[in-house]
């Protein structure tokens, strides 16, 4: 069965430090990959997505992610975080079957806690 | 502006009562989804619909029901058969054909007293 793993449930980091949130997926077929952010008591907003092409994807708010097919990973990075980046981050994948896409499968989320 | 509207944002229910959560979108998307979110469990798919008058069960459909009479609307009913209904419910929409990017509403928090 397809799955998405976010190994870190919580990542504490000091303001202006770099951060990496890890995401791995299981797959034997082509995939599309997404990172979403959720602020408290709100819905999810798309941060960035990988559909094809360059493996380094840039998103909003200074975030970027790198698609690594051999390691089936899509880690999210930011070189310098702000207090306002405190939120929960979800990795998600949709699988491409014979030209059609399946529904999104989400990881369990990583809470990024930025401390002053 | 285009988007997804969920209502109510907060809802309290007594045990044994059914409750319906509203979801409306004006993005002209064919597909709509309901997810349930619990702490530490991420998002779990309840039901989804790829076209009007048709819908499919997701991973945790027991105790829930939906309808899709209009393209814009996809209400979710939490029935008394749902054993642990207290949760945050998220509605989303997307193009049926495409890479699976979804657009989310602000969510509805249901608390059973």
């Amino acid at each position: 069965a397809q799955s998405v793993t976010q190994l870190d449930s919580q990542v504490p980091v000091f303001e202006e430090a770099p951060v990496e949130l890890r995401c791995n997926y299981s797959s034997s077929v082509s995939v599309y990959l997404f990172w979403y952010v959720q602020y408290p008591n709100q819905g999810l907003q798309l941060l960035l997505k990988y559909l094809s092409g360059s493996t380094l994807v840039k998103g909003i708010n200074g975030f970027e992610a790198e698609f690594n097919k051999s390691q089936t990973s899509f880690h999210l990075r930011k070189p310098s975080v702000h207090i306002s980046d405190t939120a929960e981050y979800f990795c998600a994948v949709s699988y491409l079957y014979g030209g059609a896409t399946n529904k999104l499968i989400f990881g369990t989320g990583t809470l990024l806690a930025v401390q002053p | 502006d285009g988007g997804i509207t969920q209502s109510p944002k907060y809802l309290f229910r007594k045990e044994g009562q059914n409750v319906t959560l509203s979801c409306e979108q004006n993005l002209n998307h064919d597909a709509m989804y309901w997810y349930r979110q619990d702490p530490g469990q991420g998002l779990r798919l309840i039901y989804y619909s790829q076209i009007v008058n048709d819908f499919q069960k997701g991973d945790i459909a027991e105790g829930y029901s939906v309808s899709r009479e209009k393209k814009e609307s996809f209400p979710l009913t939490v029935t008394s058969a749902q054993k642990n209904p207290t949760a945050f419910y998220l509605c989303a929409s997307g193009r049926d054909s495409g890479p699976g990017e979804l657009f989310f509403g602000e969510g509805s928090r249901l608390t059973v007293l």
Side-chain angles (χ1 to χ4, degrees):
Chain A
Q2 297 86 12
S3 65
V4 178
T5 302
Q6 293 181 247
L7 287 173
D8 305 307
S9 60
Q10 187 168 348
V11 173
V13 63
F14 287 107
E15 194 172 18
E16 298 184 6
V19 71
E20 178 180 86
L21 306 183
R22 297 181 292 169
C23 174
N24 288 88
Y25 64 93
S26 64
S27 175
S28 58
V29 298
S30 296
V31 297
Y32 298 124
L33 294 154
F34 306 84
W35 275 99
Y36 284 85
V37 60
Q38 184 182 34
Y39 299 101
N41 293 311
Q42 294 188 22
L44 277 67
Q45 302 173 29
L46 182 68
L47 264 183
L48 48 79
K49 60 186 175 185
Y50 171 78
L51 305 181
S52 65
S54 172
T55 57
L56 183 63
V57 180
K58 294 190 182 298
I60 62 172
N61 300 340
F63 284 92
E64 63 181 32
E66 186 158 18
F67 170 56
N68 188 319
K69 187 175 182 179
S70 62
Q71 298 189 5
T72 60
S73 68
F74 191 54
H75 301 332
L76 181 70
R77 302 185 182 100
K78 186 170 183 178
S80 175
V81 296
H82 301 135
I83 293 287
S84 60
D85 291 323
T86 295
E88 189 145 26
Y89 292 80
F90 291 93
C91 181
V93 59
S94 66
Y95 294 88
L96 186 63
Y97 291 101
T101 54
N102 202 347
K103 55 189 182 295
L104 271 181
I105 297 173
F106 286 87
T108 52
T110 298
L111 176 62
L112 176 62
V114 181
Q115 304 164 9
Chain B
D1 288 5
I4 300 176
T5 302
Q6 289 187 240
S7 63
K9 191 167 179 65
Y10 298 96
L11 186 61
F12 297 88
R13 181 193 101 176
K14 293 182 180 179
E15 281 192 26
Q17 290 180 334
N18 292 355
V19 63
T20 297
L21 307 180
S22 169
C23 178
E24 303 277 333
Q25 56 100 358
N26 60 3
L27 299 168
N28 199 33
H29 286 159
D30 290 311
M32 296 187 74
Y33 305 79
W34 274 105
Y35 286 90
R36 171 179 171 140
Q37 185 177 17
D38 297 281
Q41 297 194 49
L43 277 71
R44 293 182 290 169
L45 184 63
I46 305 172
Y47 268 99
Y48 64 103
S49 168
Q50 294 172 299
I51 196 169
V52 174
N53 292 322
D54 188 38
F55 47 83
Q56 289 78 40
K57 292 181 178 180
D59 301 316
I60 56 164
E62 185 176 351
Y64 300 98
S65 66
V66 293
S67 63
R68 187 84 187 277
E69 297 177 1
K70 299 186 302 181
K71 186 176 184 177
E72 301 80 13
S73 179
F74 191 42
L76 172 74
T77 297
V78 184
T79 75
S80 57
Q82 169 50 234
K83 299 303 180 188
N84 296 296
T86 295
F88 191 53
Y89 292 88
L90 287 161
C91 179
S93 71
R95 291 176 296 174
D96 182 42
S97 59
E101 178 182 349
L102 296 185
F103 297 80
F104 284 83
E106 293 287 298
S108 293
R109 186 168 296 281
L110 172 63
T111 302
V112 174
L113 304 174

